[in-house]
């Protein structure tokens, strides 16, 4: 596990995020991912040996600045949206 701030440092993302989010833990598999940036939105994508694709969308100025989405081998989606405030998290399956 790693905290979000470590991921930001690893990919040299210099944006401002809520303190709770900087200390949020995530799977360190994202450190091995490929990063792209378009219109101030960062996307980190990694596919594991178990044929799972994990994506992290980092949107610094959005209502939900971090969105995690995983595509399972059966095609279903799993994930979480992290809001500007602690407690604003929404599981993808609740949308």
């Amino acid at each position: 596990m790693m905290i979000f701030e470590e991921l930001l440092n690893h990919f040299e993302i210099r944006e401002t995020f809520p303190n709770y989010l900087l200390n949020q833990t995530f799977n360190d598999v994202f450190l091995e991912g490929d990063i792209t940036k378009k219109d101030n939105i960062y996307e980190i994508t990694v596919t594991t040996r178990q044929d799972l694709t994990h994506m992290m969308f980092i949107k610094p100025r959005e209502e939900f600045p971090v969105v995690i989405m995983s595509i399972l081998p059966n095609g279903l989606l799993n994930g979480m949206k992290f809001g500007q405030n602690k407690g604003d998290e929404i599981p993808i399956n609740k949308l």
Side-chain angles (χ1 to χ4, degrees), residues 45-94:
T45 305
V46 63
T47 302
T48 65
R49 288 181 292 214
Q50 294 83 13
D51 201 27
L52 295 173
T53 299
H54 303 285
M55 296 168 286
M56 177 183 285
F57 301 93
I58 302 170
K59 308 172 186 182
R61 292 166 191 81
E62 302 279 329
E63 179 181 1
F64 293 94
V66 175
V67 176
I68 304 293
M69 188 168 299
S70 298
I71 302 172
L72 306 175
N74 62 7
L76 294 177
L77 298 177
N78 189 19
M80 181 78 72
K81 292 174 77 169
F82 293 86
Q84 290 288 342
N85 300 300
K86 187 173 177 77
D88 288 346
E89 301 86 7
I90 300 174
I92 296 294
N93 63 358
K94 298 285 185 185

